[in-house]
Amino acid sequence: MITPFSLIFPLLLAQGLDDSGAPPAITKLPAVVHEVKADYPAAALEDRIEARVELEIDITEKGTVEDIQLLKTVQKIEVRRPEMTWPEPKRPSPLPDYGFGAAAIHALRDMQFSPAEAGGNPIRVRISYSYDFVLPPPRLPQPSPLPKPEARTPEAQQGVIRFHGQIVERGSRKLLPGVLVTVFRGEGAELEGYEATTDANGVFAFYDLADGPWKLQADLPGYFPLRSLETLNPKEALSVKYYLERGSYSEYDVEVRAERVRKEVTRRSLSRAEVLKVPGALGDPIRVLTNLPGVARGDAGGLAVRGTSPRDTQVYVDGIGIPLAFHFGGLRSVVPAEVIEQVDLFPGNYGLRYGRYLGGVIDIQSRELKPDQFHGALDISLLDTSIFLQGPITDTISIAAGVRRSYIDILIENVMPKDADVGFLNAPRYYDYQVLSQWRPNSRHRLQLNFIGSDDIIRLLFKNPASADVQTRGNNFNAAQNFWRVWSNYQFTPSERFQNRLTVGVGVDTAKLEIFNLFKFDLDYTTFQVRELAELQITPWFKLGAGLDLYFQYYDIEVMTSGQSREGETNPSRDQDRKTYANLKSVVDPLVAPFVETEFKFFDDRLVLQPGIRVDYEHAIRAWSFDPRITARFKLSDAWLFKGGVGRVSGLPKPEDTNESFGNPEVSWAHSLQSSVGAEYQPLPFLRFDAVLFYQDLSDLAVRSSRTVERNGRRVPLNVEAIGIGHVYGFELFIEHKFHNNFRGWLSYTLSRSERRDRPGARMRLFDYDQTHILNLLIAYALPSNWEVGFRWRLVSGNLYTPYTSRGGTFEADLDRYTPSVGRANSARLPLFHQLDLRLDKRWIFDDFTVNAYFSLMNLYNNPGVEGYTYDYDLSQRKPLRGLPVLPIVGLKGEW
Amino acid sequence: MRGFSRFLSRRVSRLGPLASVLPVLALVVFVALVALSARPAAAQELRLPRAEQGYYYGFGGHGLLLAPVENQLDLKAMGGLGITLRAGEKITDQLSIGFLLDISYAFMERWSGVGGAMLVEGRYQPSLRVPVNLRAALGAGGWSLHGKMREGEDAVEPDGGLTVRFGISYAIFIDHDPNRYQSGGFGVAPFLEVQAVIGSDSLLPSAILGLDFQWWTGLEKRYLDLPFSELSPKEER
C-alpha cells in the first residue's frame, strides 16, 4: 500500500510564488487531480521496511509538478502486531538506502494537480509534500469464489454488495477519499482477504463476501488505524460509518500563509490559527500583534507602531476603516478571530493603497467562506461568550453570522458591595456582531457583503467623588461607544493578466464620554468609503496598478473641556470654572486619493522595483498632498532576499487640531518621510530571519502654541501650530520557526528611539510612546493526545513619564490644590517590564465535533510591574501603580 | 497588622534572588518534561494496554509542614492538613499533563493559615516497569495567615503568587490484570511533594506527604493495540 500523504491530509505548508519570488495570498490550495502511485522498492518490500519521504515541490499554474527537492527520507522497520502471522524477515544492519526517495520523485513527476489560486488566478506555489510508503499486507490468497448463479443481469456482473460504508474524519465530518480498507479472515494458509479504496465521498464497498465474521482494517497516513470486527449475516448487506481520527488536530498543521512581502518592505501576517493559540493574546487578532516587531506594549486604545501614536495607526477590515481597535480595557478587539482569515500588520513603508496615517496599518481580511457544509463555533471564557455559525445557501452562496457579549457587568454587579463609594449605573459591558456572505459563481467573480458592529458602555456614579480625584466636584463617569460598518466587495478576474477589486462601504459611529464635570464629548460620525483597484500585467516585466481611495465623512462633535493635555505634556491645571465649549460640525467632507503603482522586474525577476504615487485631497482643509513611494527587492539566492523602500506618508490632521476653539484652522497635513532597508534569510524551509533598519523623518506636526493671531477682527489664541518635527529610527529583528517537528515559535526584537521637538530651537524630547527595547519570545509545542503548550516572555523598556522635581507641591489657594514642579517632559522611565505567560490547550475529538479547553496563566512569575505612580494630596508621597498580578484564565470552545 | 506588613515588606527584599531562581527552575523542569515526550504529536501508533492510561481523576488527603519565610513575628513552622483534587491525561506512555486543585489548613500556637493553589501538573514516569512518577507543577496559589498578636489585635495577612511544586509518587493498582488487555483502573498512590508559594511579600514553602486515590479511565479500544478477538463489532450502523 502506497499512499501519498498529502492527497488527503491538508498540506502542511503552501507558499505561493509570483514571478518575483514574492508570494501573494493564497485563496485556494492545490489538490491532486491525477494520482500516480510510486513503485514500492522491491528490496524494501521483501525486508518489510516502510518510509516517509519529505519533499518540496513547485506546482505550476497549470498544475504540473516541477523542481522537486528531496528533503528527508525516514525508513522504519514494520511494527509487529499480534495478528501478523507471517515471519519476520532477516534484515541487513544498518539498513541500506532502499531508494524510496527516487521512487517518490519518479511518481511525483507524473502527477497532476489543480493549481493553487490567489484572488481567483492560478499561481505557482511551492509546497511541502510528504509521501508515505506503507507496507501492504502480505500477498493474500485469491478469494474463494462464491457460487455464482448461472445467469446474471448486466447490473449484477460485478457481484452483490455485501458490505459497504463511509469513512469520515472524526471531529470535522470531512469525507476521506483514498482510505485503504482491508477485510480478511483466517490465518496462515487459510488467510482470505480483500481490499477496497474509498472514493471521493469516502465510500467503500465489498462484493460477494461470504457470511460470517470478518476482520477489518482501514489505514490512512496521519490517522489512527481503524480496526474492527464485523459479522455478515445471511441475506443481509452490512452498512457502516467509520470515523478516522487524525494523529494531531493542531491548528498549526493546516496553516497556509504567504510569508514574504509583496508590495511593502515589511508585512507581518498572522493566520487565524496563530491568532488563536498565541500565549497571552487571549485569541485576539489585534492584541496578538503586540508580539511583533515595531509594536509597543500597552495602551488599551490601540497599537503604537514604530514610535508613533496609536491614533496614527489605522485598522481596516477588508480595506474599510473602523474607528476602534479594542473594546473597553483593551483585552478584546472589536473583531473576533472567528470572522477573520488573516491579519496583516504594515509597520511602515506601506503600499500606496493606504494613506492618511503616519504610523502603521492593520488590515484584517474577513473569513473566506466555503460552501461545503454547516460549521459553527461556541467559545465560552471568563470574559465573554461568542457564537459563530456558517453554512451554504446554494453551491455558490455561503453565509456566516456571529455575536459576542461580555459578562463583566454581571460579575461586577454581583460582587460590588452595595455601600461602595462607586456605583454602576451601567457596569462595563461590550458586544459585537458580524454577518458575512459570499457569492462565488465561478473563479472569475466573487462578491462579498459583510456587516460588523460593536457596542460598549460603562456608567459610573461616584457617591464620594473626592475619593477619586481631590479636584473633582462632579459625580459621573460615563462612556459609550458604538459603530457599525456594512460593505460590499466585488472582485473580478477575467484573465490572468487583469484583476479588479471594488469595495463600497458605509458606517456610523457614535461616542459619548463624560468625566465628572471636567470633560464631555459627544460624537456622531457617518462615513462612506469607496476603494477601487485595477491591476494589469502589461508585459512579463511590467505591471500597472491604479486605484482610488474615496472617503466621505460627516461628523458632529460637541466638546466641553476644562483643559486638554497634548502628547508630551503633563496634565494642565484643571480650573473647573474655565471651560471651553465647541461644536465641531462638518458638512459632507470628501477625501479623495487617486494612486498609481507600478512594478518592474529585472534580471530574471530577481530585482523588483515598485514605484508609485498617491495624491490626497482633503476638502475640509482644502489641501493636497503628494506622496511618492518606492520599494525594491533583490533576491540574491533562494535563501537571501534584500529589500528597501523610501516614501512619503501624509497624515490627516485631527479634528480638534483644525477647530477654532481648540486648534487652528490653518493646520494641514503632517508628513513623514519613511525609509527602511533590510534582509531576509531563510536557511531552512521552516526557519526565517528578517532584519530591518528604519528611519522616519516627521514634519509639520501639530503642537501647542502660545502665540495669538488676528482672526475675523479679533485677537485670538493660535492654540496649535504645525511646526513640530520628529525622528524615529531603529532596528527590528524577527526570527521565525514555522510549525515543524511539533514546534512553533518566534523571537521579535525592536530597538528604537522616537523623538519630538515642539518648537524651533527647543531640545528634542522623547515621544510618549518611545520604548527602547521590545523583546517578545514565543514558543508553542504540540504534544500528543491533542495537547499544546505555549509560553510568551516579554521584556520591554518601561514607559516614559515626566518626573516631579521637588517633593511636595505648591499650594495654590485660588485653585484649592497643590501643583507640582515638573521636570523635562518624558525625562524619566518606569522600571523595566517583563512578564511570562503560559497557555495550555487540550482538544477533545468527538465524532461530529471537537471541544478545545484552554488554560492561560498571565504574568506567571507574578512580576509586580510598575505602570505609573499616584501621589497623595500634597504630592509629597508617591506610590507605584502595579500591573496585573498572576492571572488565570480558562475557556472552552466547541466547533462542529 | 501594619507592623506585620512593614516587616514582610522588608523581608521581601532578602528573598529577591530566591524568588527569581525558583520560577526559572520550575520552568526548566516543566520544559524538560515536555521535551522528554519526544514522540511526535502527530503520531498515531496504537498503544499496548496499561493501568495508567487515558484520563485520570484523583482525590487525595495530605499532611503538610508549612514554614513561612519571614523574621519579624514569631512565626514558626506550622503543621496542617489538606485535600487535593487532580485531573489530567497520560499523553504518552510516560508523560501526563493535568490540573491540580489544593486546599490546605495549617496551624501552630497562635498562628493559623488557609491556603489554596491551582496548578498545571506534569508527571513523568522514567520506567514503564516501575510505577513511580516524578511530578512538577506550577500555577497560582496563596495563603492567608491569621495570628493573635500580643497587643490583642488580630493579624491577617493574605499573600499569593506563583506556586511551584515538585514531588514523587508510587502508584499501586490493585485490580489491574495486564493479561486481560485492561487499560486503566483504580489505584492508590502515596506521594511526597514540596511546594513554594512566591508571594509579593513573602515566601511560603511547604512539605507535603499524602495519599492519592486515582481513577484512570483507560484508552478506548480504537487507540489500543489489541488482537482482533478483543475488538467488539462496530456499534454504529
Side-chain angles (χ1 to χ4, degrees), chain A residues 19 136 268 283 858:
Chain A
D19 290 343
R268 316 245 181 242
M858 300 180 71

Side-chain angles (χ1 to χ4, degrees), chain B residues 29-82:
Chain B
V29 171
F30 191 87
V31 172
L33 281 170
V34 169
L36 283 170
S37 67
R39 179 171 165 263
Q44 52 280 333
E45 292 93 13
L46 301 178
R47 292 199 228 166
L48 291 171
R50 298 182 195 283
E52 290 190 31
Q53 270 180 339
Y55 300 101
Y56 66 85
Y57 304 97
F59 174 79
H62 60 254
L64 67 97
L65 189 65
L66 173 71
V69 178
E70 58 81 33
N71 64 3
Q72 187 183 35
L73 298 176
D74 188 21
L75 270 176
K76 296 175 182 173
M78 293 184 247
L81 297 168

